[in-house]
Amino acid sequence: MQAPPTGATTALPPQQSGPTGRPEAEPSRKAAPAIPWWVWTLAGGLFFVYTLLSLRTHARLHSHSFDLAIFEQAVRSYAEGRLPVSEVKGPGFPVLGDHFSPVLAALAPLYLLFPSPRTLLVAQAALVAASVLPLALWARRTLGDAAAVVTGLCYGLSWGIANAIGFDFHEWAFAVPLLVCSLAALGSGRLRAAACWALPLVLVKEDLGLTVAVIGGLIAWRGGRGGRRLGIALAVTGAAWTLLAVTVVLPALSPSGSYFYASFLGGGADAAAGTAGGAGGGFGDLLFKGTVGLVTPDAKVATLLTVLAPTLFLALRSPLVLVAVPGLLWRGISDYPAHWGTGYHYSFTVMPIVFAAFVDALARRGTTTAGLRRYLAGAAGVCVLLLPVHSLGQLFQPAFWRTDPRVAVAQRLMDRIPDGATVQASDGLVPHLANRTSVSLYGWAASRPDPEWIIVDTGVAPELRWPLSVMEESVTLGAARSQGYRTAAQEDGFVLLNRRS
């Protein structure tokens, strides 16, 4: 790693020459300087913004059954001392057979104290905000204070992070600080620390073992003999875990006896998502997806450009960017169109990688002070340009702060449903019932049949409806009434049905 540019402020004090003329080691108490107050302020400010966005979105009934309620039901299961299940996925559906994410158990103690979906949203905000600390401190050590502030802000406000925060809770929130800590350690030459931070990623999600494998490869490449052994061991462990998880562990725990998401690679996502573009599987199809298919349709190229643009494409000059390849490759060959774009949470773990590569690239270049300022100004400019078009842009819209009177109606009707009841509810209502009822999604084929209660929001805009259209919803409500459900309440577009005893 090259010395910081002229004029940059470094985190470590200058070394003094000892009697032998060689640099004398600083005392250990000075080797790790305290984190500056402004770094804490930066992380705290981002935590506040993330929390505000998440909680306000939830309060407006804009959170979802997929994914917030699924994860809440899983965490609730852990808190109750059971293996995680999700009624949203199906009656008694084992969540560990869907994605292997035992790290969610870490939220169980918090959920016991605060049994609410807000607990997950606040925890996610804290995890992501905390990831700014190691990135900013690494940038400060290598590039100076100004670079640390700009890099931390551009990363924290980046579109991939913002869109994930604005769309429910996801287990990848745990991966974000682990990735930053690992890559910051790797960029600083602390190979053992990089491996230790990377290894827990296998507990976050089954596919992250491939990310661990790439980090292991980089450790092996950068290290000497000891680093080579460590890196190879980490790479083998990560790759072997993903192979074991998707071929043995997940099929054994899944009700279908297979790894469901493998279907996204072979044209089988039609049944899974109802909106896929797969052509039918086979070696030829997979070969096409792994070559020409990676840049077609245009949405894939647009996403790749948007991923790299916040770093002015300098991330490509660092080998650390290779850590993003497994995740981007999976999305590129998937049949599910949502994986190709910039929406939802699919770029959550990409942003930490590209910004770590950005810091590493700037440090390697040995950029002059004037050049560094130009790069930082460019990155800040891209961040500002993209800010209005992603989830954080909602904070500047007056409609985001207005509370629809229908929200109070929904809460009042949901309060009539007793704790422990079985319920089917509209997508935006499910997360508000998951902490105290056995709730599933109304209109979803796998939902528990014949619930005690049904609550439907018929006022949702047609373009936001899922999984039923306006006509389908009307037909199913009529069918429910004919099958013995009575109308307990009907107000302002909300319909509450109760099964007659």
Side-chain angles (χ1 to χ4, degrees), residues 19-106:
T20 63
R22 296 178 179 177
E24 187 175 21
E26 287 291 319
S28 59
R29 62 185 175 86
K30 293 185 179 180
I35 300 176
W37 66 268
W38 52 264
V39 177
W40 288 114
T41 302
L42 175 61
L46 288 170
F47 169 69
F48 176 77
V49 170
Y50 298 156
T51 302
L52 198 62
L53 175 63
S54 295
L55 296 185
R56 183 61 188 158
T57 299
H58 177 67
R60 297 174 67 213
L61 306 183
H62 288 180
S63 53
H64 304 274
S65 55
F66 285 69
D67 294 313
L68 179 56
I70 291 175
F71 286 114
E72 182 181 2
Q73 289 175 335
V75 173
R76 179 182 173 187
S77 298
Y78 281 124
E80 294 173 352
R82 300 180 286 114
L83 288 177
V85 296
S86 173
E87 285 287 297
V88 173
K89 295 288 290 185
F93 187 94
V95 174
L96 289 176
D98 186 50
H99 286 303
F100 193 80
S101 305
V103 71
L104 292 172

Side-chain angles (χ1 to χ4, degrees), residues 154 309-312 358 372-385:
C154 290
T311 68
L312 306 181
F358 179 57
L372 178 62
R373 287 174 179 167
R374 285 195 296 270
Y375 287 129
L376 295 175
V382 173
C383 176
V384 172
L385 286 174

